[in-house]
Amino acid sequence: MGYKPRQLVGYVDGRDTGTPDTWIKRDPSLIRLTGRHPFNCEPPLKDLFDAGFITPTKIHFVRNHGKVPRISWDEHRVTVTGLVKNKTTFTMDQLASLPSYEFPCTFPCAGNRRKEENMVKKGLGFSWGAAAHATSVWKGVRLSTVIKHCGGIADTATKSAKFVCFRGPLKELPKGQDGSYGTSIAIDRAMNDNWDVILAYAQNGLPLSPDHGFPLRIIIPGFIGGRMVKWLSHIEVSDKESTNHFHYYDNRVLPSEVTAERANEEDWWHRPDFIINDINIQSAIRSPEHKEIIHPAPGKKYTVRGYAYGGGGRKVIRCEVSIDQGVTWMAAQIQRFEREWYKKNAKEKCMDNFDSRGKHWCWIHWSIQLETELLCNSSEIRCRAWDSDHNTQPLHIAWNVMGMLNNSSYRLKIHKCEDKDRKEGNGAVWFECPTLAGPQPGGWMVPKDEKVRPQALYASLGGIDPKRIPSKNFSLAQVKEIRNSVTLVIDGNVFDCSSVLKEVCSFATCITRIITHDL
């Protein structure tokens, strides 16, 4: 067929001049998170949300570990080897001639909302905002079809074949033994068509773009993007999971106390319990926007809007908003898109009844109308979502060294406007996001001064800002002697939390013991 890589805009962004990617045309509105090169970006959250169900390819987030390989459709080959009956090498035309499957799918980078974690404590990853995810219509051939075209699993390996391993081009990256990016998934996931794993060669109706894997990438619905190898070159059915460098040293959620140094010294990277595959439940607020101002008025309402998605095919069943620090919650209206897409576009008969499959691969939008007077008398607004297994988002950040899977309830702070900011009436407020993606300044979690960082840290973890004891040095003995209050010591700072924990007598002994042990 001789397809060429799809260019998404008409010109090369000047920031790519002089880099190995100077041949790729990219939308300049994307927020660059790692400088000029390599290219890692996300769109402004409002642009992502306002585009609707299907994300325009030009603003789809991008995660590149290095330069983009320049690959020809006609020359590219994909080899399937390992525990199959017949080792087979496919051309792109051969893959495209096999029965195809097309469907919409949302997937994020596992680091979506990592900047919030980096404000608690700097981890190993760069600072993604809340728009490191996207939804596209992907077309390709099912992985199961390709393996069956190789004769299927070898007769002698029906029990030993447990994984399907993938990798991109060799010598693509500086890390790892062969310089490739690779990973693996369980054989059951790969061979069960109900999981919709495909080798994709088209996105939103056109050939892939260079940043999104031209000419071929794998799509694994319900998984994080880090498992969806781009520029796919090699597939191996194996009795062992991938040994690729990136399979172990990326996309892990280690316990909060494990630092990078400890992870290396004790080899936490190879412990199987901490690998990330399925996405966790997630939501965030699109509006109000950062620094947006609203004015209270009797009977006037404001529509709060946001998104949510889940993993593993689980359905998002509930989205909620709280304006009292998570004490009480209000249910939002959910707008679903997936069923309607299948009604209009699906070719397979099994799609006639979308819900019968029990798989939900796409994001939803939610909204709720709140009285402006109520909103303007609150100190924050936060959201959370629930999936069909009744998983929800925690109130607090669970920090981990890679900054992965942060799905704490998303919180906007509400501030009273200064007189000079008021355009009409009294009581106007403005909203502050926790962070802004990448190097952008602003956000209530971003320390304005290093001296107040411990306060921002505690507020991010604890949900409600504690009252800080006036600046003074305390010994452990003096902390123990403080009476009629609940006292916490965090990063060498002493906090009086009596206003947060009302049951002082019930908690004091327990918390004192924790402090004593930690110190």
Side-chain angles (χ1 to χ4, degrees), residues 461-475:
L461 293 173
I464 306 174
D465 296 343
K467 179 182 178 181
R468 188 173 182 177
I469 296 175
S471 181
K472 179 180 177 181
N473 292 326
F474 291 86
S475 67

Side-chain angles (χ1 to χ4, degrees), residues 26-42:
R26 293 161 169 158
D27 192 311
S29 71
L30 292 166
I31 302 165
R32 298 198 176 207
L33 309 175
T34 51
R36 296 173 63 212
H37 186 78
F39 187 57
N40 292 286
C41 69
E42 64 181 282

Side-chain angles (χ1 to χ4, degrees), residues 131-181:
H133 61 95
T135 305
S136 292
V137 177
W138 300 96
K139 182 179 180 180
V141 54
R142 292 185 186 276
L143 176 57
S144 61
T145 299
V146 173
I147 292 176
K148 291 172 184 175
H149 202 76
C150 299
I153 306 300
D155 294 336
T156 57
T158 53
K159 293 184 179 180
S160 59
K162 296 181 179 179
F163 296 94
V164 182
C165 305
F166 318 95
R167 68 160 172 80
L170 297 172
K171 300 181 180 179
E172 170 196 356
L173 301 168
K175 294 182 179 180
Q177 291 184 345
D178 61 8
S180 71
Y181 184 95

Side-chain angles (χ1 to χ4, degrees), residues 50-67:
D50 294 350
F53 175 44
I54 301 300
T55 306
T57 308
K58 68 179 183 177
I59 63 168
H60 191 293
F61 82 94
V62 176
R63 175 67 174 105
N64 289 340
H65 290 79
K67 68 178 183 179

